[in-house]
Amino acid sequence: MSAAPENLPRPLTPGMPPPVLPMADAAPAIPFLEIEALRAQQFIPAAKEALGAMIAEQGRDRLTRPVFNWAGRNSLFPLHWGLACCAIEFAAAFGARWDAERFGVVPRSSPRQCDLMIVNGTVTWKVAHKLVTLYEQMPEPKWVIAMGNCATGGGPFRTAYSVVPGVDKLVPVDLYIAGCPPRPEAMLDGILKLEQLIRERKE
Amino acid sequence: MAAEEWAQELARHLGDRMISLTPFARTLGRVKFRPEAAREIFRAVHDDLGFDHLSMVGGIDWVDRREVIYTLWSDRRVAYLFLSADLVGEAPHIETASAVWPGANWHERETWELVGIQFDHHPDLRHLLMPDGYAFNPLLRSFKLHEPEELEVKTRHV
């Protein structure tokens, strides 16, 4: 009894002929690809020349910024922290019911990985310089959302002796969300509006 | 313990360092003592009378004077006791209780920054709730509500 050679195809079912393999040297010429190759030979130098002229005229950012804006607005990484009761709504927005990860929003624990700071709660003078330190540790480009009345303007504690009357006294704020606290829908709406801001960003 | 027995025991241990004993609801009363004798009072109350737990240190601003209040608990007697002392003058100060009850440390830091009472020989007297360099004692009655911008300028530290 002799074993069948390993390199030969075996029949799938007994009695059926083995499948026919395509021959390697029998690939037919495709005229379409040849035409495309000829076109590319003419197009690529012309495209290089046009792009070079555009970069020399308008700068490299004119070409790269839309790409970065597109990537940035679709993957906003907020800092994962909480200051007060707004943090409960912030956390609920990433739960099963609202699921902010649909929009590419994933909270990160390190400010080095973030490009969005959502100030969710009352900022006291004691914690103010820690907030500024976290903001300065985030890499550019970065955005700040003031979530809730306390972060926007101090809220009911505006005249208190220990509360910062609005986080815009400390860091530049791009978007304010009203509410005490705002519901997760409002926070998601704010994030989508921030994406619109990034889309329209010029400089 | 009857009120008279308790008053006699207090007078036996505290002597003339105690000014008055005022009945206070659901406690053994409020003992007002001379602030100069604070160290001996704390020692006597802790060692002789057996109040080994200090629940709270607080301060009150009575405009003409400031009062510092200690809430003590004794497991042996199963009873509370209030100690208080009147501090007069522009710079009120009293001996620290953290040498007898170490838990008084943070309570005295809080009383110092909010009511402005200086605690002598405190091991680490610095701000607890407010940032370093905060310029006010916010729980004094002379503290007015500031406009946010004014408070911001005076407390800016970042």
Side-chain angles (χ1 to χ4, degrees):
Chain A
M1 182 176 178
S2 61
E6 289 289 329
N7 53 356
L8 281 184
R10 296 181 177 187
L12 294 177
T13 51
M16 294 292 289
V20 179
L21 295 184
M23 303 292 286
D25 54 348
I30 305 176
F32 175 73
L33 289 185
E34 292 178 354
I35 293 172
E36 286 300 306
L38 281 176
R39 277 188 183 171
Q41 283 179 8
Q42 299 166 355
F43 171 74
I44 290 176
K48 279 184 178 176
E49 187 176 351
L51 283 177
M54 187 186 291
I55 288 174
E57 183 182 351
Q58 305 181 9
R60 192 181 301 271
D61 284 356
R62 177 70 179 83
L63 294 174
T64 57
R65 186 165 299 283
V67 180
F68 287 148
N69 281 355
W70 169 81
R73 73 167 182 265
N74 286 308
S75 64
L76 283 170
F77 283 6
L79 186 59
H80 193 177
W81 70 330
L83 287 173
C85 40
C86 280
I88 304 296
E89 307 294 316
F90 175 83
F94 297 98
R97 184 178 289 264
W98 288 279
D99 195 15
E101 289 194 17
R102 288 176 294 163
F103 309 110
V105 182
V106 185
R108 307 297 298 184
S109 299
S110 167
R112 303 289 188 198
Q113 303 170 347
C114 297
D115 54 359
L116 170 64
M117 170 183 272
I118 298 181
V119 184
N120 42 19
T122 315
V123 183
T124 59
W125 287 112
K126 183 81 169 181
V127 86
H129 77 279
K130 299 173 180 67
L131 186 145
V132 174
T133 302
L134 284 172
Y135 175 76
E136 287 171 350
Q137 283 175 340
M138 288 163 52
E140 294 275 358
K142 51 192 172 185
W143 294 274
V144 175
I145 289 180
M147 179 183 179
N149 291 350
C150 290
T152 300
F157 316 108
R158 182 175 173 79
T159 54
Y161 56 84
S162 60
V163 174
V164 181
V167 75
D168 49 5
K169 299 274 192 292
L170 304 172
V171 293
V173 178
D174 298 284
L175 196 88
Y176 299 90
I177 303 175
C180 188
R183 284 184 61 82
E185 296 96 318
M187 204 197 87
L188 292 181
D189 184 50
I191 286 175
L192 292 180
K193 284 196 167 55
L194 180 69
E195 290 183 1
Q196 187 66 31
L197 282 179
I198 299 170
R199 188 195 303 267
E200 296 164 355
R201 187 168 69 121
K202 294 295 191 296
E203 181 55 41
Chain B
M1 181 179 291
E4 294 78 13
E5 292 178 31
W6 169 242
Q8 285 174 7
E9 184 174 355
L10 266 185
R12 189 166 66 248
H13 282 101
L14 303 184
D16 59 351
R17 293 175 295 231
M18 182 175 75
I19 296 176
S20 64
L21 171 62
T22 312
F24 209 97
R26 288 197 290 265
T27 68
L28 288 177
R30 189 178 66 174
V31 172
K32 187 162 284 191
F33 62 94
R34 304 185 194 283
E36 301 83 21
R39 189 199 303 255
E40 294 83 14
I41 285 280
F42 295 150
R43 270 292 155 210
V45 168
H46 179 273
D47 297 344
D48 303 337
L49 294 175
F51 287 89
D52 46 8
H53 177 68
L54 178 66
S55 293
M56 192 201 74
V57 178
I60 305 175
D61 179 23
W62 294 106
V63 181
D64 58 337
R65 67 188 195 281
R66 290 176 210 175
E67 186 175 5
V68 57
I69 289 189
Y70 304 85
T71 303
L72 301 164
W73 169 260
S74 170
D75 278 336
R76 206 177 68 200
R77 300 173 186 272
V78 198
Y80 281 105
L81 174 70
F82 284 159
L83 293 181
S84 78
D86 280 339
L87 310 173
V88 294
E90 284 299 313
H93 64 96
I94 192 172
E95 180 68 27
T96 178
S98 58
V100 181
W101 297 280
N105 192 323
W106 282 28
H107 293 261
E108 290 181 346
R109 281 170 65 184
E110 187 179 353
T111 309
W112 168 73
E113 74 174 351
L114 294 181
V115 196
I117 295 172
Q118 183 79 27
F119 289 92
D120 302 330
H121 305 119
H122 191 282
D124 187 22
L125 199 59
R126 56 191 169 87
H127 282 283
L128 180 65
L129 301 173
M130 295 290 129
D132 290 335
Y134 193 74
F136 306 99
N137 298 119
L139 293 195
L140 291 185
R141 291 178 194 271
S142 58
F143 179 80
K144 303 295 183 211
L145 283 185
H146 288 72
E147 287 300 317
E149 289 73 18
E150 184 188 357
L151 200 66
E152 179 208 349
V153 169
K154 290 189 179 176
T155 59
R156 175 164 286 282
H157 61 285
V158 290

